[in-house]
Amino acid sequence: MEKLRKHQVSLRGASAKEITRDALLQKVSQEREVRNYARRATAAALFVQRVWRRYKVTRMVALQLQEEWETMVNDSGGRISATWISNVLLRPFLFFTECLTVRHQKIQTKEIDWFATLWSVIVEYRSSGTYCSLDSKKNFCSLATGTLEERRIWFFQAQKLISLSVFILSQFNKSHSGCHEMVVLTSLAMRLVVLLTDTKGWQIITGDNRQDADIAVRDLVNFMGCAKSGIYISIRRYVNTLDVLISSQMGGMVQTDDKFFITASAITMALRPFHLTNFEVSSPGMSNVHNAAVQYYVALLTIPWLAQRLPTIIIPALKHRCILSPCFRTVLILKEKILTEMSEMDQSDIDFSFKFIPPVGWALGNTVCLAAGSDNGSVNPGRFNEGFDYASYIHVVITLAENLLGWVQNVGWMMKGKQDVQNDVSVDPMHEIETEHVPSKMSFIDLLRPVYQQWHLTNLLEIIKIGAYSDSADTMPPNDVECLGKFELLDVVYFYSYMLRIFSVLNPMHGSLPVLNMLSFTPGFLVSVWEALESILFSGNGNVTAKIHRPCISKNSGKAKDEGFVKKQKGETKDNKDGVNKWVNVLNKVTGKSQAGIDLNDSHPRASQVEEDSWDLWNVEPLRCGPQGISKDLACLLHLFCASYSHLLLILDDIEFYEKEVPFTLEQQRRIASVVNTLVYNGLSHSTGPPDRPLMDSAIRCLHLMYERDCRHMFCPTILWLSPARKSRLPISVAARTHEVLSANLRTRTDDTSTMPSVDSVITTTPHVFPFEESNCVAGHGVPDARTKDDYNLTPSFLIGFEQLSSLGSRFEVPWFKVEVIIHVSFVSECGLPEAGLDYGGLSKEFLTDISKAAFAPEYGLFSQTSTSDRLLIPNSSARYIENGIQMIEFLGRVVGKALYEGILLDYSFSHVFVQKLLGRYSFIDELSTLDPELYRSLMYLKHYDGDVKELSLDFTVTEESWGKRHVIELKPGGKDVSVTNENKMQYVHAIADYKLNRQILPFSNAFYRGLTDLISPSWLKLFNASEFNQLLSGGNHDIDIDDLKKNTRYTGGFSEGSRAIKIFWEVLRDFEPKERCMLLKFVTSCSRAPLLGFKHLQPTFTIHKVVCDLPLWATIGGQDVERLPSASTCYNTLKLPTYKRSSTLRAKLLYAISSNAGFELS
């Protein structure tokens, strides 16, 4: 208790309640805070009272002065003089207008008379437009050349007059535009500003006071250029009230005399500070110009559609180099300040529709429009002015574009641009901006129209070529900006790389297509960009160039180069243990000219001769870390090149690519392929971020186009596509499972990162980095155990099979990796009797083989053969007129899917074009050569035709014949009325190709795809190209490897490898023709093609079973041999071979058995 009392004190003696020390301190602190708050409240109340009293007194004095001023003006009589104007007229007027008008930011109707009275007193004009008073004592401007005190007072009052004038200008909006008094007042205010800032109108200047007048005007113009004058903000508000006219209306733009003078005077005020360099080029003047340029760029060039709001006659003044060059240089010197002010500026005076573009975006558009637009201010392309500062222009546009793209990325448009367009183009703010001031046919991207005009790029390249940079850079102080005056190809690359990204986001109708068209078809540009890339990517690799060129045979023969690569590739792949020749059948006859076939049997180097570093030739070292491991310059070069070249590849025909070798030789094409292949694979492996998205998208597109062209007509070795992933590649099974897991997780996400390419995209984006053997093994994973069994008696008739299998309904339509249906088949002979034998898989394989053979026969009408030498299958356009034709093709898709699922090889291959559709890829004009070489040759002839195409009497239609009827299809709406001319012949060529390659077969390919994907996963299909798909389907060559078969054969029933009958069998088999060997294989396994990866993958193993037949020993030298025929058990891949003694007997019996096409009757 005593310990507690030590911390207690008594405030009122022993009788008072005792409290703790902490409570006492807290109570004292609270009382102190209350007293401090009371003092602050009292001080605030006193301050408010003082402010209010001052405002009230000031207003009372202002009203009193205003009344006295009006009386004084009315009774002025002949007392007007410069001193009287300054002391009696201006001093009170400036005071009460500041208190009664400017502070309220609004001009009342009665106040208009005040300003008009003053302006009429100060500014009196006669027809010449100059100040009328020649008496210096009566001329207000004479004070500018008077005593020091008079000059000081004149300068202060002139500043106030200019501020009042621009305030009046800012109040000239739509609400006052119909008021004649306001128009007259604003016109007078602008005349006053022009008069005060131009000594030519003073008429009191003599040789003695010229310098004083020039100094006074210079100081006044300097004040106009600073931010506190508010001139540029007022001009901005005024210009925003003007209407925007499209180019067709620019010439007819008419304003009244007063309104035109107001606009012209406002622009004159904005441009006046830029002419200060006429007084002093060095030192102080330049800093003032910088201040004006900052205000000019921030306040005026951020006005939406600046040039389109102004009269045509004013535009050349804005485009003059004495205006643009200082602005450009200032932006480069003070870019951080200018960009910050742009981002923070008030846009409350901007129409709501324009706010979807930030101020920096409008600054970019107006810069391009003024620098490269037409002289009449329209968005139509124009030209660069003489003596134009190209370097500063390019650097300014790059600076603004980079800032705009940063804003775009922050608001998320970069990721959802395409989705917005697909969902609802009409609501996209960038599509068409339509307000009461802007015509609906104009969009923001129209301001950038000069960018995608060829003259624009050509001029820039010409300047780089001759090294004639802007002369204005020579006058710059050496310590301003290092980049000023420097102008090289890399700057142009940055310029157009940023423009591609801007167009792709802000131009939803056409994306970056206008810019890509111009870049792709500008002569020499792509070659220059690639040379710059080569110097960066390959300069440090020593003898890499020699190694890359090594496979080429002749520089003048593209065909010889391809032959060299094919021969080398065959030598590398033939020694592969799995025996897969991936590229043997890729090379097709594309052009209409005669081309010798490639002899794959020629001598070739052994794979052992290929050095280990041959793989590294195609794995470009600087790109092995993906986009994150390269410099910004290199990333920009790669982005522009990949985007432009992928666009050019769409229309570059094979004659130009392989024979003429334009724009690149095949050696360079291989380098390009290695660059994009290495970049894409490593970019996906290292998981790129949103800043790298444009580069990765363009590189992936370029890679796919080059790889598909190589698949159709080889120009690259196989190791080129495999080399980037040779050491870092995951097993394809692991990659596939990773992709499935991550894809499942991303489906539940709605953010933009779900669409970013990442490590799980390797298997879908670059499946070619996995060897074909690994990709094919994916089909073997996940075979289900639960199976449904059904017995059916079937005949090898397509129609009957279609009807019977269709009755299975959903039991046959089973997705891949789910419950599978096993169909047990028993054949019915020609006599109508069921054949002997049980189906353990062999009869099902034979049934699918026979039914597909019947269905794909051209006589049936569902499929036809291409006119090329390999006679590949393509859907027949007449199938749509066959009853249930589409359903039958869908059923055939299921048959092929079932065959692929079961690993059954069929005896046919599909056209490259048709497979492209199944793989979800678009076909381009060069693939027409694989479908109809004659039509391809005709289109190429038309493409390069020098005469008048109109004489050929072509129109935009195509005629089809089916079942004796002619059908005319229009290639575009109203095509039958559109003649083909020299201007639209390219459109006609590509329209014909698009119809033949895409539109015509699309319904059939969709139907076939639906049936195919009932059993095969679409993601698995996309692992292969067209040639590989055909190999999966048919197995490649129409022959078998006897050594491989012998190595993987099992002997039962008493046979061994040393048995006499077995030795005779292999001797006879080697003497067979390739067709006969395939027939034997079908007899035993029900399939005429060898397993895709060799006979070691045949399940069950190929077996020869001994059928014991007792014969005397003398039968071996001349007596009767075994009469029994060989038979087979296709379910177990077993050949039941009697013990023949002579090779002639074995050969005869074997040929009879495999040629009889009988069932189990031979058993």
Coordinates of all heavy atoms in Angstrom, one line a residue, residues 497-562:
S497 N 9.4 1.3 -85.2 CA 9.1 0.3 -84.3 C 8.0 0.8 -83.3 O 7.0 0.1 -83.0 CB 10.3 -0.2 -83.5 OG 10.0 -1.1 -82.5
Y498 N 8.2 2.0 -82.8 CA 7.2 2.6 -81.9 C 5.9 2.8 -82.7 O 4.8 2.6 -82.1 CB 7.7 3.9 -81.3 CG 8.8 3.7 -80.3 CD1 9.7 4.7 -80.0 CD2 8.9 2.5 -79.6 CE1 10.7 4.5 -79.0 CE2 9.9 2.3 -78.7 CZ 10.8 3.3 -78.4 OH 11.8 3.1 -77.4
M499 N 6.0 3.3 -83.9 CA 4.8 3.5 -84.7 C 4.0 2.2 -84.9 O 2.8 2.2 -84.9 CB 5.1 4.1 -86.1 CG 5.5 5.6 -85.9 SD 4.2 6.6 -85.2 CE 5.1 8.0 -84.7
L500 N 4.7 1.1 -85.2 CA 4.0 -0.2 -85.3 C 3.2 -0.5 -84.1 O 2.1 -1.0 -84.2 CB 5.0 -1.3 -85.6 CG 5.6 -1.4 -87.0 CD1 6.7 -2.4 -87.1 CD2 4.5 -1.6 -88.0
R501 N 3.8 -0.3 -82.9 CA 3.1 -0.6 -81.7 C 1.9 0.3 -81.4 O 0.9 -0.1 -81.0 CB 4.1 -0.5 -80.5 CG 5.2 -1.6 -80.6 CD 6.3 -1.3 -79.6 NE 5.8 -1.4 -78.2 CZ 6.5 -1.2 -77.1 NH1 7.8 -0.9 -77.2 NH2 5.9 -1.3 -75.9
I502 N 2.1 1.6 -81.8 CA 1.0 2.6 -81.6 C -0.2 2.2 -82.5 O -1.3 2.2 -82.1 CB 1.5 4.0 -81.8 CG1 2.5 4.4 -80.7 CG2 0.4 5.0 -81.9 CD1 3.1 5.7 -80.9
F503 N 0.1 1.9 -83.8 CA -0.9 1.6 -84.7 C -1.6 0.3 -84.3 O -2.9 0.2 -84.5 CB -0.3 1.5 -86.1 CG -0.3 2.7 -86.9 CD1 0.6 3.7 -86.6 CD2 -1.1 3.0 -88.0 CE1 0.7 4.9 -87.3 CE2 -1.1 4.2 -88.7 CZ -0.2 5.1 -88.3
S504 N -0.9 -0.6 -83.8 CA -1.5 -1.9 -83.5 C -2.5 -1.8 -82.3 O -3.5 -2.5 -82.2 CB -0.5 -2.9 -83.1 OG 0.2 -2.5 -81.9
V505 N -2.3 -0.7 -81.5 CA -3.2 -0.5 -80.3 C -4.3 0.5 -80.6 O -5.5 0.3 -80.3 CB -2.4 -0.1 -79.1 CG1 -3.3 0.2 -77.9 CG2 -1.4 -1.1 -78.7
L506 N -3.9 1.6 -81.3 CA -4.9 2.7 -81.4 C -5.6 2.7 -82.8 O -6.3 3.6 -83.1 CB -4.2 4.0 -81.2 CG -3.5 4.2 -79.9 CD1 -2.9 5.6 -79.8 CD2 -4.4 3.9 -78.7
N507 N -5.3 1.7 -83.6 CA -6.0 1.6 -84.9 C -6.7 0.2 -85.0 O -6.2 -0.7 -85.7 CB -4.9 1.7 -86.0 CG -5.6 1.9 -87.4 OD1 -6.8 2.2 -87.5 ND2 -4.9 1.6 -88.4
P508 N -7.8 0.1 -84.3 CA -8.5 -1.2 -84.3 C -9.0 -1.7 -85.6 O -9.1 -2.9 -85.8 CB -9.6 -1.0 -83.3 CG -9.9 0.4 -83.3 CD -8.6 1.1 -83.6
M509 N -9.3 -0.9 -86.6 CA -9.8 -1.3 -87.8 C -8.8 -2.0 -88.7 O -9.0 -3.1 -89.2 CB -10.3 -0.1 -88.6 CG -11.6 0.5 -88.0 SD -13.0 -0.7 -88.0 CE -13.3 -0.8 -89.7
H510 N -7.6 -1.5 -88.8 CA -6.5 -2.1 -89.6 C -5.2 -2.4 -88.9 O -4.3 -2.9 -89.5 CB -6.2 -1.1 -90.8 CG -7.4 -0.8 -91.6 ND1 -8.1 -1.7 -92.4 CD2 -8.2 0.4 -91.7 CE1 -9.1 -1.1 -93.0 NE2 -9.2 0.1 -92.6
G511 N -5.1 -2.0 -87.6 CA -3.9 -2.3 -86.9 C -2.7 -1.6 -87.5 O -2.8 -0.5 -88.0
S512 N -1.6 -2.3 -87.5 CA -0.4 -1.8 -88.0 C -0.2 -2.1 -89.5 O 0.9 -1.9 -90.1 CB 0.8 -2.4 -87.3 OG 0.8 -3.8 -87.3
L513 N -1.2 -2.5 -90.2 CA -1.2 -2.9 -91.6 C -0.7 -1.8 -92.5 O 0.2 -2.0 -93.4 CB -2.5 -3.4 -92.1 CG -2.6 -4.0 -93.5 CD1 -1.7 -5.2 -93.7 CD2 -4.0 -4.4 -93.9
P514 N -1.2 -0.5 -92.3 CA -0.7 0.5 -93.2 C 0.8 0.7 -93.1 O 1.5 0.9 -94.1 CB -1.5 1.8 -92.8 CG -2.7 1.2 -92.1 CD -2.2 0.0 -91.5
V515 N 1.4 0.7 -91.9 CA 2.8 0.9 -91.7 C 3.6 -0.3 -92.3 O 4.6 -0.1 -92.9 CB 3.1 1.1 -90.2 CG1 4.6 1.4 -90.0 CG2 2.3 2.3 -89.7
L516 N 3.1 -1.5 -92.0 CA 3.8 -2.7 -92.5 C 3.8 -2.7 -94.1 O 4.8 -3.1 -94.7 CB 3.1 -3.9 -92.0 CG 3.3 -4.2 -90.5 CD1 2.4 -5.4 -90.1 CD2 4.7 -4.5 -90.2
N517 N 2.7 -2.3 -94.7 CA 2.7 -2.3 -96.2 C 3.8 -1.3 -96.7 O 4.5 -1.7 -97.6 CB 1.4 -1.8 -96.7 CG 0.3 -2.8 -96.6 OD1 0.6 -4.0 -96.7 ND2 -0.9 -2.5 -96.5
M518 N 4.0 -0.2 -96.0 CA 5.0 0.8 -96.5 C 6.4 0.3 -96.2 O 7.3 0.3 -97.1 CB 4.7 2.1 -95.8 CG 5.6 3.2 -96.3 SD 7.2 3.3 -95.3 CE 6.6 3.5 -93.7
L519 N 6.6 -0.3 -95.0 CA 7.9 -0.8 -94.7 C 8.4 -1.9 -95.6 O 9.5 -2.0 -96.0 CB 8.0 -1.2 -93.2 CG 7.8 -0.1 -92.2 CD1 7.8 -0.7 -90.8 CD2 8.9 1.0 -92.2
S520 N 7.4 -2.8 -95.8 CA 7.8 -4.0 -96.6 C 8.1 -3.7 -98.0 O 9.0 -4.4 -98.6 CB 6.6 -5.0 -96.5 OG 6.4 -5.4 -95.2
F521 N 7.5 -2.7 -98.6 CA 7.7 -2.5 -100.0 C 8.6 -1.3 -100.3 O 8.6 -0.8 -101.5 CB 6.3 -2.3 -100.7 CG 5.4 -3.5 -100.6 CD1 4.3 -3.5 -99.8 CD2 5.8 -4.6 -101.3 CE1 3.5 -4.6 -99.7 CE2 5.0 -5.7 -101.2 CZ 3.9 -5.8 -100.4
T522 N 9.2 -0.7 -99.3 CA 10.2 0.3 -99.6 C 11.5 -0.3 -100.0 O 12.1 -1.1 -99.2 CB 10.4 1.2 -98.3 OG1 9.2 1.8 -98.0 CG2 11.4 2.3 -98.6
P523 N 12.0 0.0 -101.2 CA 13.2 -0.7 -101.7 C 14.4 -0.5 -100.8 O 14.7 0.6 -100.4 CB 13.4 -0.1 -103.1 CG 12.1 0.4 -103.5 CD 11.4 0.9 -102.2
G524 N 15.0 -1.6 -100.4 CA 16.3 -1.5 -99.7 C 16.2 -1.4 -98.2 O 17.2 -1.5 -97.5
F525 N 15.0 -1.1 -97.7 CA 14.9 -0.8 -96.2 C 15.1 -2.1 -95.4 O 15.9 -2.1 -94.5 CB 13.5 -0.2 -95.9 CG 13.4 0.1 -94.4 CD1 14.1 1.0 -93.8 CD2 12.4 -0.7 -93.7 CE1 14.0 1.3 -92.4 CE2 12.3 -0.4 -92.3 CZ 13.0 0.5 -91.7
L526 N 14.4 -3.2 -95.8 CA 14.6 -4.4 -95.0 C 16.0 -4.9 -95.1 O 16.6 -5.4 -94.1 CB 13.6 -5.5 -95.5 CG 12.2 -5.5 -94.9 CD1 11.4 -6.5 -95.6 CD2 12.3 -5.7 -93.4
V527 N 16.6 -4.8 -96.3 CA 18.0 -5.2 -96.4 C 19.0 -4.4 -95.5 O 19.9 -5.0 -94.9 CB 18.5 -5.0 -97.9 CG1 19.9 -5.4 -98.1 CG2 17.6 -5.9 -98.8
S528 N 18.7 -3.1 -95.4 CA 19.5 -2.3 -94.5 C 19.4 -2.7 -93.1 O 20.4 -2.7 -92.3 CB 19.2 -0.8 -94.7 OG 19.4 -0.4 -96.0
V529 N 18.1 -3.0 -92.7 CA 17.9 -3.4 -91.3 C 18.6 -4.7 -91.0 O 19.2 -4.9 -89.9 CB 16.4 -3.4 -91.0 CG1 16.1 -3.9 -89.6 CG2 15.8 -2.1 -91.2
W530 N 18.5 -5.6 -91.9 CA 19.1 -6.9 -91.7 C 20.6 -6.8 -91.7 O 21.3 -7.5 -90.9 CB 18.7 -7.9 -92.8 CG 19.5 -9.2 -92.7 CD1 20.3 -9.7 -93.6 CD2 19.4 -10.1 -91.6 NE1 20.8 -10.9 -93.1 CE2 20.3 -11.2 -91.9 CE3 18.7 -10.2 -90.4 CZ2 20.5 -12.3 -91.1 CZ3 18.9 -11.3 -89.6 CH2 19.8 -12.3 -89.9
E531 N 21.2 -6.0 -92.5 CA 22.7 -5.8 -92.4 C 23.1 -5.2 -91.1 O 24.1 -5.6 -90.5 CB 23.1 -4.8 -93.5 CG 23.0 -5.4 -94.9 CD 23.3 -4.4 -96.0 OE1 23.5 -3.2 -95.7 OE2 23.4 -4.8 -97.2
A532 N 22.3 -4.3 -90.5 CA 22.6 -3.8 -89.2 C 22.5 -4.9 -88.1 O 23.3 -5.0 -87.2 CB 21.6 -2.7 -88.8
L533 N 21.5 -5.8 -88.3 CA 21.3 -6.9 -87.4 C 22.5 -7.9 -87.5 O 23.0 -8.4 -86.5 CB 20.0 -7.7 -87.6 CG 18.8 -7.1 -87.0 CD1 17.5 -7.8 -87.5 CD2 18.8 -7.2 -85.5
E534 N 22.9 -8.2 -88.7 CA 24.0 -9.1 -88.9 C 25.3 -8.5 -88.3 O 26.1 -9.3 -87.7 CB 24.3 -9.3 -90.4 CG 23.4 -10.3 -91.1 CD 23.9 -10.6 -92.5 OE1 24.1 -9.7 -93.3 OE2 24.0 -11.8 -92.8
S535 N 25.5 -7.2 -88.4 CA 26.7 -6.7 -87.8 C 26.8 -6.8 -86.3 O 27.8 -6.9 -85.7 CB 26.8 -5.2 -88.2 OG 25.8 -4.4 -87.6
I536 N 25.6 -6.9 -85.7 CA 25.5 -7.0 -84.2 C 25.5 -8.5 -83.8 O 26.3 -8.9 -82.9 CB 24.2 -6.4 -83.7 CG1 24.2 -4.9 -84.0 CG2 24.1 -6.6 -82.2 CD1 22.9 -4.2 -83.6
L537 N 24.8 -9.4 -84.5 CA 24.6 -10.7 -84.1 C 25.8 -11.6 -84.5 O 26.1 -12.6 -83.8 CB 23.3 -11.3 -84.6 CG 22.0 -10.6 -84.1 CD1 20.8 -11.2 -84.9 CD2 21.9 -10.8 -82.6
F538 N 26.4 -11.4 -85.6 CA 27.4 -12.3 -86.1 C 28.8 -11.7 -86.2 O 29.7 -12.4 -86.6 CB 27.0 -12.8 -87.5 CG 25.7 -13.5 -87.6 CD1 24.6 -12.8 -88.0 CD2 25.6 -14.8 -87.1 CE1 23.3 -13.5 -88.1 CE2 24.4 -15.4 -87.1 CZ 23.2 -14.8 -87.6
S539 N 29.0 -10.5 -85.8 CA 30.3 -9.9 -86.0 C 31.4 -10.5 -85.0 O 32.5 -10.6 -85.4 CB 30.2 -8.4 -85.7 OG 29.8 -8.1 -84.4
G540 N 30.9 -10.9 -83.9 CA 31.9 -11.4 -82.9 C 32.1 -12.9 -82.9 O 32.7 -13.5 -82.0
N541 N 31.6 -13.6 -83.9 CA 31.6 -15.0 -83.9 C 32.7 -15.6 -84.7 O 32.7 -16.7 -85.1 CB 30.3 -15.6 -84.4 CG 29.2 -15.3 -83.4 OD1 29.4 -15.0 -82.3 ND2 27.9 -15.5 -83.8
G542 N 33.7 -14.8 -85.1 CA 34.9 -15.3 -85.8 C 34.5 -15.8 -87.2 O 34.1 -15.1 -88.1
N543 N 34.6 -17.1 -87.4 CA 34.4 -17.8 -88.7 C 33.0 -18.3 -88.8 O 32.7 -19.2 -89.5 CB 35.4 -18.9 -88.9 CG 35.3 -19.9 -87.8 OD1 34.6 -19.7 -86.8 ND2 35.9 -21.1 -88.1
V544 N 32.0 -17.7 -88.0 CA 30.7 -18.2 -88.1 C 30.1 -18.0 -89.5 O 29.4 -18.8 -90.1 CB 29.8 -17.5 -87.1 CG1 28.3 -17.7 -87.3 CG2 30.1 -17.9 -85.7
T545 N 30.5 -16.9 -90.1 CA 30.0 -16.6 -91.5 C 30.4 -17.7 -92.4 O 29.6 -18.2 -93.2 CB 30.5 -15.3 -92.0 OG1 30.1 -14.2 -91.1 CG2 29.9 -15.0 -93.3
A546 N 31.6 -18.1 -92.4 CA 32.1 -19.1 -93.3 C 31.4 -20.5 -93.0 O 31.0 -21.2 -93.9 CB 33.6 -19.3 -93.1
K547 N 31.1 -20.7 -91.7 CA 30.4 -22.0 -91.4 C 29.0 -22.0 -91.9 O 28.5 -23.0 -92.3 CB 30.5 -22.2 -89.9 CG 31.9 -22.5 -89.4 CD 31.8 -22.7 -87.9 CE 33.2 -23.0 -87.3 NZ 33.2 -23.2 -85.9
I548 N 28.3 -20.8 -91.8 CA 27.0 -20.8 -92.2 C 26.9 -20.9 -93.7 O 25.9 -21.5 -94.2 CB 26.3 -19.5 -91.7 CG1 26.1 -19.5 -90.2 CG2 25.0 -19.2 -92.4 CD1 25.6 -18.3 -89.6
H549 N 27.8 -20.4 -94.4 CA 27.8 -20.4 -95.9 C 28.3 -21.8 -96.4 O 28.1 -22.0 -97.6 CB 28.7 -19.3 -96.5 CG 28.1 -18.0 -96.3 ND1 27.2 -17.5 -97.2 CD2 28.3 -17.0 -95.4 CE1 26.8 -16.2 -96.8 NE2 27.5 -16.0 -95.7
R550 N 28.9 -22.6 -95.6 CA 29.5 -23.8 -96.1 C 28.6 -24.7 -96.8 O 29.0 -25.3 -97.9 CB 30.1 -24.6 -94.9 CG 30.9 -25.8 -95.2 CD 31.3 -26.5 -94.0 NE 32.1 -25.7 -93.1 CZ 32.3 -26.0 -91.8 NH1 31.8 -27.1 -91.3 NH2 33.0 -25.1 -91.1
P551 N 27.3 -25.0 -96.4 CA 26.5 -25.9 -97.1 C 26.1 -25.5 -98.5 O 25.7 -26.3 -99.3 CB 25.3 -26.1 -96.3 CG 25.7 -25.5 -94.9 CD 26.7 -24.5 -95.2
C552 N 26.3 -24.3 -98.9 CA 25.9 -23.8 -100.2 C 26.8 -24.3 -101.3 O 28.0 -24.2 -101.2 CB 25.8 -22.3 -100.2 SG 24.6 -21.7 -99.0
I553 N 26.2 -24.7 -102.4 CA 27.0 -25.2 -103.6 C 27.2 -24.1 -104.6 O 28.3 -23.9 -105.1 CB 26.2 -26.3 -104.2 CG1 26.1 -27.5 -103.2 CG2 26.9 -26.8 -105.5 CD1 25.3 -28.7 -103.8
S554 N 26.2 -23.3 -104.9 CA 26.4 -22.3 -105.9 C 25.6 -21.1 -105.5 O 24.5 -21.2 -105.0 CB 25.9 -22.8 -107.2 OG 25.9 -21.7 -108.2
K555 N 26.2 -19.9 -105.7 CA 25.4 -18.7 -105.3 C 24.4 -18.3 -106.4 O 23.4 -17.6 -106.1 CB 26.4 -17.5 -105.2 CG 25.8 -16.2 -104.8 CD 26.9 -15.2 -104.6 CE 26.2 -13.9 -104.1 NZ 27.2 -12.8 -103.9
N556 N 24.5 -18.8 -107.6 CA 23.6 -18.4 -108.6 C 22.5 -19.4 -108.8 O 21.5 -19.1 -109.5 CB 24.4 -18.3 -110.0 CG 25.4 -17.3 -109.9 OD1 25.3 -16.2 -109.3 ND2 26.5 -17.5 -110.6
S557 N 22.5 -20.5 -108.2 CA 21.4 -21.5 -108.3 C 20.8 -21.8 -107.0 O 21.4 -22.5 -106.2 CB 22.0 -22.8 -108.9 OG 21.0 -23.8 -109.0
G558 N 19.6 -21.3 -106.8 CA 18.8 -21.7 -105.6 C 18.5 -23.1 -105.5 O 18.5 -23.7 -104.5
K559 N 18.3 -23.8 -106.7 CA 18.0 -25.2 -106.7 C 19.2 -26.0 -106.2 O 19.1 -26.9 -105.4 CB 17.6 -25.6 -108.1 CG 17.3 -27.1 -108.2 CD 17.0 -27.5 -109.6 CE 18.3 -27.5 -110.4 NZ 18.1 -28.0 -111.8
A560 N 20.4 -25.6 -106.6 CA 21.6 -26.3 -106.2 C 21.8 -26.2 -104.7 O 22.2 -27.2 -104.1 CB 22.8 -25.8 -106.9
K561 N 21.4 -25.1 -104.1 CA 21.6 -24.9 -102.7 C 20.6 -25.9 -102.0 O 21.0 -26.5 -101.0 CB 21.3 -23.5 -102.3 CG 22.2 -22.5 -102.8 CD 21.8 -21.1 -102.4 CE 22.7 -20.0 -103.0 NZ 22.3 -18.7 -102.7
D562 N 19.4 -26.0 -102.4 CA 18.5 -26.9 -101.8 C 18.9 -28.3 -101.9 O 18.8 -29.1 -101.0 CB 17.1 -26.7 -102.4 CG 16.5 -25.3 -102.1 OD1 17.0 -24.7 -101.2 OD2 15.5 -24.9 -102.7

